Amino acid sequence: MEAVLANWGRRSGQPMSDEQRKAMFASMRGGGGGGGGGSGSSSSGGNDLAAQYDRMRAAGIKIYDGDNAPSWWDKTKAFFSGAVEGARGGSAIVQDKLTFGASDALARTRLGQALGMIDSSTLQGGDYDFSRGAATVARESLLGALGIGALSKLGAAWKGTSLAQSAIGEHARLLSAIGGFASKYGIDSYRENNPTLNPVADKFLGMASQIAGYVGSIGLLGSLHQYGRAALGGTKLAAAGKSLVAGIDNALSAPFKWLGGKMPAPVANALKKAHSAYSAFSDFTGSSIKDLATKPASKMDWFKKAYVATGMAGVAARDEMAIRHYQKERESALRAGRDFTIPSDTPRGLLGTLGSMAVGTTGNPIEKLFRPGLKSYQASVGAYRADYDAIKADQEAGRISAHEANAALAKLAENKPRNIQGKEIWQFAPAAAAFINWQAGDAMAKARRSTLDLRQPGQYADADTLALRGSTVRMSDMNAPEVPHAQSNDPDHPERRTGEYLGAEAQQRIQQLVKDNQYVRLVEDSNPKAGGFDKYGRAVRTVETLPKPFDQLLRVPYLGKVIPARDVNKTLIREGLADIHYRELSGRGDRQEAYDQARAKAQAEKIGIWSDQGRAALPWVGKEKTVQERREANYQRKTGQSLPYPQWANISDKAGLGLMTTGNSGIFGMMPKSGTGAAQAWNAALAVLGSLEYNERAQRTLNRSPRPPSVIKSDWQLAQEARLGRELQSPTRRPQATASDFRALDDFLANYRP
């Protein structure tokens, strides 16, 4: 029994611990865990060992001891045999990774066994784990290179066609933008409709979506440049803009020109050479994935390609090794019944901060290496993979049903890491393209959650409820004062019968915002708890619309789902006719922080429900905590300290957006005297702000422990279930065990941690 318990939960092919080996040897020899009490003291153990040696010799297996030392030929054969065995194992791992698991599946069939194929999942140990990590990196790098190479070849082929010289070819940038974003939309739609995809397949689909989004973003930026020049070229506005830029260029360069004239010539020349060297170096380190698709015109172009490709592979290797490390830790924690902690960043010291500032000035790919949240990303992905594999393993082992496994996977997918696609492509993407891709992805996701409906003529309910043609909508994340409901008989809420202060005014206002027969766009929250349907069967949605007759634009296919429109929920909160509410039921929501800002403005102005009369008449107003208040309370509860104020984050974000906007407008290229220096100085300032923001975020971020899937049981729980289950079924102990007994047992085991 001890041997069974010692080996409980050990997977096939997994190395045994020392305790497990002792238990196994004790069981084989028929003795206790000490192996008979001493060397050679157990005659039965010694006889068994000698008999085993005899059987091995009879089978042709050499036994080496002090009297029979191996020869150099034996050692050589053993070396090559081990090398061949390792090579076969490594090849099996590579095959499995490149075929996404198909090789191992074939190896487990009769055909695979007849062919002598190796199931790489049975190969355990540090060397094989390293091989898996390296094979995964190689696979990802190969696929990335193939994708980028294919795109570059397609681009070259396109340029060589007659079509590229035609009117359609002149709009190739626009077509690439449309094609890129359309591909991204399709891939993301598939991922959303299949949230329980294997994490590896999900990662590569995410990478494909990322590449398509970058193609679309770069095409969009090129189109803006192309059509902007065509529209403004030769106009008075363009001439005035050039004159303004030239004036700024002269103003910025004047102090440096004056300073250079005051310096000794050798010093000025040395500084000029140093700046030229720095510019060349930062230009090289700032290379991006765009350089992979360009036709090389010099050796430096080839070096840039090699730098980007090597850098992407290096980032992939770094992340994959770290993810696998955290994945193992999570697997161990699941089976041991321990908590697993997602680590957070720690503030850097003075030297580390200064070093990140200096290195961050050399280019965007380098600066991205020092951004916060790397450990959290790696651990989150590792934990997700471990949870996914644990659910699948328990299903295959028969411990949970297919229905339970699918439900657990769907629940797990609700908290899937957003950046599961990895950081290697993002690391070397142009900053503006990465930003546009991010914004476009959010807009597309919102579009997929959006539906169109029409306001029904007739009686309006409260300002937080709308009767539409398709359904009745309860407006999300807000509550408005009640209007009288004569039919209400709820003793706990008498205000529903009599009405509340400003209830009629709020109802009148929503009649102005959403008129009869006016089209509205209904947006469901990405968090299932904040969307869906309430207990009365009403759809919980954000209501958006445009004033008549512009509401007809919402009916335009595709465009109607993404064009800006007024958020009616937010408008009522901003005007003091509603307050944020019911967050304890819905959890996090997409627009909570925006609604918090609208609330703060209405509260500061003391309008509507925030007036002295409103606060006295409506006790529920102001009771709901904002996102920031909940964050501060959580930080205080866990640390006993106040949450530090984020003084650098807002400045850094605005400065980053400003640099991307000006940089992609081509304004620095129009400033031959100072453009390069201005861009470098701005980028250096961002590097400084980014380093300060890193320390600030590290101070504000807490470690967290994700909940394990409810269907996954620790090894201790499984062992106890097996033992106690037999006791409950034993006629001598519990002859009358019922289903409720087993449910109580399951509840106890699910909530107990040894």
Side-chain angles (χ1 to χ4, degrees):
M1 184 64 182
E2 292 179 359
V4 174
L5 292 176
N7 286 279
W8 190 274
R10 188 176 69 87
R11 300 175 183 175
S12 177
Q14 183 179 349
M16 292 183 291
S17 66
D18 291 340
E19 290 76 12
Q20 292 171 335
R21 290 190 183 95
K22 292 177 181 178
M24 183 186 71
F25 291 148
S27 178
M28 291 173 58
R29 297 178 181 179
S39 177
S41 63
S42 174
S43 61
S44 66
N47 292 335
D48 289 345
L49 185 60
Q52 180 65 23
Y53 282 176
D54 291 337
R55 287 193 294 270
M56 293 172 67
R57 291 189 182 96
I61 301 173
K62 289 187 177 181
I63 305 297
Y64 298 109
D65 53 32
D67 299 328
N68 184 26
S71 65
W72 68 269
W73 178 241
D74 292 327
K75 294 179 181 180
T76 302
K77 289 192 297 182
F79 169 80
F80 283 105
S81 176
V84 171
E85 181 182 355
R88 290 187 66 210
S91 300
I93 291 173
V94 172
Q95 287 177 352
D96 181 64
K97 291 299 180 184
L98 292 178
T99 59
F100 298 93
S103 178
D104 281 357
L106 180 60
R108 290 190 286 268
T109 64
R110 292 184 178 179
L111 176 62
Q113 294 172 3
L115 295 174
M117 296 180 64
I118 298 176
D119 181 3
S120 69
S121 63
T122 62
L123 304 174
Q124 304 294 329
D127 294 338
Y128 290 124
D129 290 340
F130 182 85
S131 297
R132 287 189 179 89
T136 302
V137 171
R139 178 186 64 188
E140 295 173 4
S141 303
L142 178 62
L143 290 176
L146 288 173
I148 295 169
L151 288 175
S152 65
K153 293 299 183 184
L154 288 173
W158 164 259
K159 292 179 180 179
T161 61
S162 59
L163 184 62
Q165 313 302 322
S166 66
I168 297 178
E170 293 177 0
H171 303 286
R173 295 184 181 91
L174 178 61
L175 292 176
S176 67
I178 296 173
F181 288 133
S183 300
K184 178 179 179 64
Y185 186 91
I187 296 171
D188 290 347
S189 297
Y190 179 82
R191 294 178 67 202
E192 286 185 6
N193 294 329
N194 299 273
T196 60
L197 285 170
N198 180 281
V200 176
D202 200 11
K203 170 182 173 65
F204 284 112
L205 285 174
M207 292 175 67
S209 170
Q210 207 175 32
I211 292 174
Y214 291 146
V215 171
S217 300
I218 294 171
L220 177 62
L221 290 171
S223 298
L224 293 175
H225 278 244
Q226 178 183 353
Y227 299 130
R229 287 194 299 266
L232 298 176
T235 64
K236 293 182 179 180
L237 181 61
K242 289 181 180 179
S243 299
L244 178 61
V245 172
I248 296 173
D249 188 25
N250 291 328
L252 291 176
S253 62
F256 296 97
K257 185 177 181 181
W258 176 85
L259 184 62
K262 298 295 182 182
M263 289 182 179
V267 176
N269 290 332
L271 289 175
K272 187 176 181 179
K273 289 180 180 179
H275 180 257
S276 297
Y278 172 79
S279 298
F281 180 73
S282 60
D283 176 68
F284 176 79
T285 57
S287 303
S288 68
I289 56 177
K290 289 197 315 182
D291 294 283
L292 292 175
T294 58
K295 185 178 181 180
S298 63
K299 290 183 179 180
M300 182 55 66
D301 293 337
W302 284 108
F303 287 139
K304 286 184 177 181
K305 290 177 180 291
Y307 161 71
V308 174
T310 305
M312 290 174 60
V315 171
R318 176 203 67 184
D319 289 343
E320 185 62 28
M321 298 301 287
I323 288 170
R324 291 187 64 83
H325 166 74
Y326 288 118
Q327 183 177 353
K328 285 187 174 182
E329 286 192 351
R330 175 65 166 180
E331 289 174 351
S332 176
L334 285 175
R335 295 309 178 190
R338 294 184 282 101
D339 288 335
F340 172 79
T341 300
I342 302 289
S344 59
D345 299 312
T346 55
R348 300 188 181 109
L350 178 60
L351 292 178
T353 302
L354 294 175
S356 67
M357 290 178 182
V359 178
T361 64
T362 58
N364 190 251
I366 306 298
E367 182 268 331
K368 288 179 178 177
L369 293 171
F370 299 92
R371 292 188 183 178
L374 178 60
K375 292 181 182 177
S376 177
Y377 149 71
Q378 293 168 341
S380 298
V381 176
Y384 181 80
R385 289 186 186 179
D387 291 356
Y388 187 98
D389 291 345
I391 294 171
K392 284 292 190 179
D394 278 15
Q395 180 188 358
E396 293 175 1
R399 289 189 284 269
I400 59 176
S401 64
H403 175 75
E404 291 173 319
N406 292 333
L409 291 174
K411 182 71 175 178
L412 178 66
E414 292 179 3
N415 296 310
K416 181 190 302 182
R418 293 191 62 183
N419 49 5
I420 198 172
Q421 71 276 3
K423 291 181 176 288
E424 54 267 33
I425 300 177
W426 166 83
Q427 197 86 38
F428 288 86
F435 178 77
I436 294 174
N437 184 40
W438 168 43
Q439 293 294 317
D442 284 352
M444 292 177 184
K446 174 187 170 183
R448 288 190 291 272
R449 301 193 307 271
S450 299
T451 55
L452 185 68
D453 210 331
L454 186 68
R455 174 74 180 94
Q456 283 278 59
Q459 180 64 37
Y460 279 76
D462 299 343
D464 52 31
T465 306
L466 280 179
L468 304 174
R469 180 178 60 187
S471 62
T472 301
V473 172
R474 178 64 167 85
M475 299 164 69
S476 61
D477 199 25
M478 57 164 283
N479 188 54
E482 298 282 343
V483 298
H485 299 281
Q487 71 279 10
S488 177
N489 295 314
D490 191 347
D492 297 328
H493 297 281
E495 72 279 0
R496 293 178 181 175
R497 186 175 183 86
T498 60
E500 290 182 308
Y501 177 71
L502 292 181
E505 289 80 357
Q507 185 190 59
Q508 184 179 8
R509 179 56 176 151
I510 198 172
Q511 292 178 15
Q512 298 171 351
L513 295 171
V514 186
K515 303 181 183 298
D516 289 346
N517 297 313
Q518 183 171 339
Y519 285 97
V520 297
R521 185 169 63 204
L522 306 177
V523 185
E524 186 174 12
D525 201 279
S526 62
N527 179 16
K529 291 184 179 180
F533 296 85
D534 67 4
K535 62 181 181 181
Y536 302 109
R538 301 175 298 186
V540 182
R541 300 289 188 271
T542 298
V543 178
E544 297 179 337
T545 190
L546 292 169
K548 282 188 166 185
F550 300 104
D551 63 316
Q552 297 291 328
L553 293 173
L554 300 177
R555 304 178 64 188
V556 179
Y558 304 109
L559 179 65
K561 290 190 173 185
V562 296
I563 59 174
R566 171 188 281 167
D567 185 335
V568 179
N569 305 39
K570 181 180 176 180
T571 301
L572 292 171
I573 296 173
R574 173 62 184 90
E575 295 178 355
L577 296 174
D579 190 21
I580 60 175
H581 214 38
Y582 302 119
R583 290 184 176 178
E584 74 280 2
L585 301 175
S586 65
R588 62 179 176 83
D590 297 331
R591 310 195 187 196
Q592 288 185 351
E593 292 182 293
Y595 290 0
D596 290 347
Q597 294 175 7
R599 179 210 221 190
K601 293 178 180 178
Q603 188 175 8
E605 298 171 7
K606 291 188 174 182
I607 58 176
I609 61 177
W610 297 103
S611 64
D612 294 338
Q613 188 176 356
R615 297 299 302 272
L618 303 170
W620 51 270
V621 172
K623 297 295 185 182
E624 194 81 34
K625 290 184 177 180
T626 64
V627 173
Q628 181 65 17
E629 289 171 340
R630 285 182 289 158
R631 189 178 291 132
E632 291 174 351
N634 182 56
Y635 191 91
Q636 177 73 33
R637 183 175 66 256
K638 291 186 176 181
T639 67
Q641 302 176 358
S642 298
L643 182 66
Y645 179 77
Q647 56 183 340
W648 300 113
N650 292 332
I651 302 174
S652 180
D653 291 342
K654 290 181 175 63
L657 288 174
L659 180 60
M660 283 191 296
T661 303
T662 54
N664 285 279
S665 66
I667 190 171
F668 293 125
M670 299 167 62
M671 300 164 58
K673 300 177 183 178
S674 64
T676 301
Q680 290 173 347
W682 199 334
N683 189 62
L686 273 178
V688 172
L689 290 172
S691 299
L692 296 175
E693 183 189 359
Y694 179 97
N695 291 338
E696 183 179 83
R697 289 195 179 187
Q699 292 176 341
R700 291 170 54 86
T701 306
L702 299 174
N703 296 338
R704 58 186 179 89
S705 298
R707 291 184 178 180
S710 59
V711 297
I712 300 300
K713 298 173 181 177
S714 68
D715 290 341
W716 179 88
Q717 289 175 305
L718 293 173
Q720 296 305 306
E721 282 188 352
R723 181 178 65 83
L724 296 177
R726 287 193 296 271
E727 291 183 358
L728 288 176
Q729 295 174 354
S730 173
T732 58
R733 298 202 179 190
R734 287 290 303 273
Q736 301 299 323
T738 63
S740 62
D741 295 326
F742 287 100
R743 286 195 295 270
L745 175 62
D746 290 339
D747 183 67
F748 167 77
L749 294 171
N751 293 282
Y752 181 80
R753 291 291 183 270

